[in-house]
Amino acid sequence: MTVAEQAERARSASIVLAQASRARKDAALEAMADALAKAETAVLEANAEDVDRAEANGTSAALIDRLRLTPDRIAGMVDGLRQLAGLPDPVGDVVRGWTTAQGVEIRQVRVPFGVVGIIYEARPNVTADAGGICLKSGNAALLRGSSSAASSNAAVVVALQAGLIEADLPADAIQLVPGPREVTAELMAARGLVDVLIPRGGAGLIDTVVRNSQVPVIETGVGNCHLYVDASADQDMALAILVNAKVQRPSVCNAIETVLVHADAAPTFVPQALEALAGAGVTVHGDERVASYGTVVPATEDDFATEYLSLDIAAAVVDSLDDALAHIRRFSTGHSETIVTDSQRAAARFSAEVDAAAVLVNASSRFVDGGEFGFGAEIGISTQKLHARGPMGLPEMTSTKYVVTGSGQVRG
Amino acid sequence: MTVAEQAERARSASIVLAQASRARKDAALEAMADALAKAETAVLEANAEDVDRAEANGTSAALIDRLRLTPDRIAGMVDGLRQLAGLPDPVGDVVRGWTTAQGVEIRQVRVPFGVVGIIYEARPNVTADAGGICLKSGNAALLRGSSSAASSNAAVVVALQAGLIEADLPADAIQLVPGPREVTAELMAARGLVDVLIPRGGAGLIDTVVRNSQVPVIETGVGNCHLYVDASADQDMALAILVNAKVQRPSVCNAIETVLVHADAAPTFVPQALEALAGAGVTVHGDERVASYGTVVPATEDDFATEYLSLDIAAAVVDSLDDALAHIRRFSTGHSETIVTDSQRAAARFSAEVDAAAVLVNASSRFVDGGEFGFGAEIGISTQKLHARGPMGLPEMTSTKYVVTGSGQVRG
């Protein structure tokens, strides 16, 4: 089947989904969870094929770890589907409504996008997560996973489709899009057939999709995030946030990659920070002023532009809030930016002037997450300014429609 | 100056604008209005140059009409700027806010996009409208007008910039982007420099921008809009809405282009409709079943796909609501679709199943308009599903930012 044919089937399914009640969608999610739990052995066998092939190809251990499924990871996918069933349905929500002077009633109502394409990398759990989120938000899903996870993804989709069928919803509502590289290009060219594309993965994947897609894209994820320790910061608080935001899970987009320290705080803060970071196994890439307080790897310009996603951090001393803001303006990818300060004025300026999806004052950037925000599900963290910015829950997976009701009014 | 240089200047200006109070932006709008009113003679002289050049080039009368400014049209631009000053400022609005279990406060706050590019055709009044809307919403504007209106646009921008300077805001906040065709391509490639592009004009312009831009686009305007007259319709109401929606202003995107009549209503409705439309000077392109009730131009497949924007209408008889829905699904551009019915069930199905920015029940599609909706200003009518759908007012010209405030919380 071509991408266009798959998209046509998805379109037909999306018309049914858009009208499906919450009860039916939730029944499908529960049936999908049951089917996936029952298919554990089949999914693990399929996954073993993918892992064997990856190992034979000399794939890195880190990538193989992302690819590998375990009974625990499958249980996590099953739980995720059940949690979605428990979340409110955004479709049909009236966002706002009013009546005009002529007595025409206007309501803005949430509706699904229609057909959503997800382009993602090795993690097969995304297949269940993204399929479930699309279903709950009333969208048909075209799942373009990595060829390295082809067998795992196929086995997961079999279970998801069994759940759809059991709830009397069309199996075409969740389809895997297989095939060679050119298929991704076809998906990006499918304007009018696919309503939205969401890339999930590394910076290279996201950049390729954003630059080449004719289908509207929601850009997610790249985070070169900064922590600025102000002159007035409570230094114990700053230290705790620094270590948490760098170390708690360094491989994710809301981890910090650079710490900037105000010159007045540096003499006491930097030595403590270097010790704490070293103790946590973090390599510090420091500028000359940081280096004057202890041993660091000399930082180059590139270090400040790098999203390490590892136990590395760039560090610099700045002379003022203005210098910190200028540094962030230059290097930030607009994800999550943090200030630790006791100054109301510094907090207000930082919040107002930093151009990012999230700005944090005296809290760890690790909170910028759909789960922590209380959204219950997250398709990704948008770093673009159109449509959704920051963690995206179910409502962000919808569009709206104006329903205008009159009793024969015409325009004068 | 290159587009990149203009965009850099716009970025610097946007940083100032994003922090500007409503009072200062409103003072600028009033000063812009004053300056434009004072510049009437200069603007009319510049416009006369454009009109002379267009006439020498053999430009059509319709296009010259759009290009031509009069004292009345300039007064309309001046009034538009003053009205913007009277509207609420969307920037800083808290869209929602809550506190997490750990006591972290989260607020989602409206912020400007930053730098907005507007690509538009001959109408020089767009220069003042779009410049004013961008300013009020805190965005720097790069205005790429048509070369046919180059002198008029330049004269208008001189007045707008004088107003900015008087209110102590940077003149670079509203810039005209002059130059040959390639400049438009540069603007579409300016990803990272320009935050959003909004094309305003005909279908060809919009399609070019949507397909070629690497900058995120808000698609506006193309409207192949339908009116479906249900079996149960009040036929006087249907007739009044038909004539209003076709005739009141045929050149705009929310005018209807096709009328579909249920077979049960056709014997009484179609003859009356043909008479009323003929009386209003409308040419009916009818299918065979419509032709059986009177004289029409035979409709081809193309007629049903055409956005006439003139005193022409396509017409067909359908056997059911399902057939009407199928026709609309096939030919609609997703702008505004209308049903006239007395059936609650038909109204509910039509509202739910038609995939469009606006669905109207028993009201003229001419109401789908920022002014009629009460938005006070309108940058266009979005026909895309991301970000904004339907008439776009000032809030639709903003993004949001999460401001997360804690007292030292870290993630466990």
Side-chain angles (χ1 to χ4, degrees), chain B residues 300-324:
Chain B
T300 63
E301 185 89 352
D302 272 0
D303 282 303
F304 293 106
T306 299
E307 187 189 14
Y308 292 115
L309 298 174
S310 62
L311 288 173
D312 291 84
I313 192 167
V317 173
V318 294
D319 286 320
S320 63
L321 172 59
D322 282 298
D323 286 359

Side-chain angles (χ1 to χ4, degrees), chain A residues 11 15 18-19 96 98 100 102 104 106-108 111-115 189 191 195-196 207 210-211 213-214 216-219 237 240-241 244 248-249 254 329 349-364 366-369 372-375 384-391 395-396 398-412, chain B residues 11 15 18-19 96 98 100 102 104 106-108 111-115 189 191 195-196 207 210-211 213-214 216-219 237 240-241 244 248-249 254 329 349-364 366-369 372-375 384-391 395-396 398-412:
Chain A
R11 175 71 58 202
I15 293 168
Q19 309 308 321
R96 51 181 176 161
W98 66 97
T100 71
Q102 282 188 271
V104 175
I106 300 174
R107 284 176 301 137
Q108 187 180 20
V111 295
F113 287 127
V115 178
R191 189 173 184 88
D195 293 295
V196 185
D207 194 61
V210 158
R211 291 194 177 272
S213 180
Q214 290 188 14
V217 172
I218 300 179
E219 187 177 348
M237 184 194 290
I241 289 175
N244 183 257
Q248 199 239 0
R249 198 166 166 210
N254 61 17
R329 200 146 50 228
R349 277 199 63 200
F350 193 89
S351 304
E353 295 182 31
V354 168
D355 186 17
V359 179
L360 300 105
V361 178
N362 298 339
S364 170
R366 292 281 295 116
F367 287 116
V368 180
D369 171 273
E372 295 295 319
F373 271 31
F375 291 173
Q384 69 180 28
K385 293 183 183 176
L386 279 191
H387 188 69
R389 197 177 190 205
E396 284 75 21
T398 64
S399 182
T400 61
K401 170 200 277 186
Y402 283 107
V403 178
V404 179
T405 308
S407 49
Q409 288 89 339
V410 297
R411 189 160 160 189
Chain B
R11 175 71 58 201
I15 293 168
Q19 309 309 321
R96 50 181 176 160
W98 66 96
T100 71
Q102 281 189 270
V104 175
I106 300 174
R107 284 177 301 137
Q108 187 180 19
V111 295
F113 287 127
V115 178
R191 189 172 183 87
D195 293 294
V196 185
D207 194 60
V210 157
R211 290 193 178 272
S213 181
Q214 292 190 11
V217 171
I218 298 179
E219 188 177 349
M237 185 195 288
I241 289 174
N244 182 256
Q248 199 237 2
R249 200 166 165 209
N254 62 15
R329 201 145 51 224
R349 278 199 61 199
F350 193 89
S351 304
E353 295 183 30
V354 168
D355 187 18
V359 180
L360 300 106
V361 179
N362 298 339
S364 170
R366 293 279 297 114
F367 287 115
V368 181
D369 172 273
E372 295 294 319
F373 271 30
F375 292 173
Q384 69 180 27
K385 293 183 183 175
L386 278 191
H387 187 70
R389 199 177 188 202
E396 284 75 21
T398 64
S399 183
T400 61
K401 170 200 278 187
Y402 283 106
V403 178
V404 179
T405 309
S407 49
Q409 287 89 338
V410 297
R411 189 160 160 189

Side-chain angles (χ1 to χ4, degrees), chain B residues 207-289:
Chain B
D207 194 60
T208 300
V209 175
V210 157
R211 290 193 178 272
N212 296 299
S213 181
Q214 292 190 11
V215 175
V217 171
I218 298 179
E219 188 177 349
T220 62
V222 179
N224 187 17
C225 303
H226 300 75
L227 168 65
Y228 167 60
V229 180
D230 190 35
S232 70
D234 174 327
Q235 296 200 359
D236 292 338
M237 185 195 288
L239 206 61
I241 289 174
L242 168 64
V243 173
N244 182 256
K246 178 70 254 179
V247 173
Q248 199 237 2
R249 200 166 165 209
S251 65
V252 293
C253 56
N254 62 15
I256 62 161
E257 306 294 5
T258 295
V259 57
L260 303 171
V261 183
H262 190 285
D264 293 350
T268 48
F269 184 74
V270 174
Q272 288 185 74
L274 292 179
E275 193 187 331
L277 289 167
V282 177
T283 303
V284 177
H285 305 256
D287 73 353
E288 284 182 17
R289 295 168 79 178

Side-chain angles (χ1 to χ4, degrees), chain B residues 111-134:
Chain B
V111 295
F113 287 127
V115 178
V116 174
I118 314 274
I119 302 180
Y120 56 106
E121 291 178 330
R123 297 180 193 273
N125 60 310
V126 173
T127 307
D129 289 356
I133 288 173
C134 286

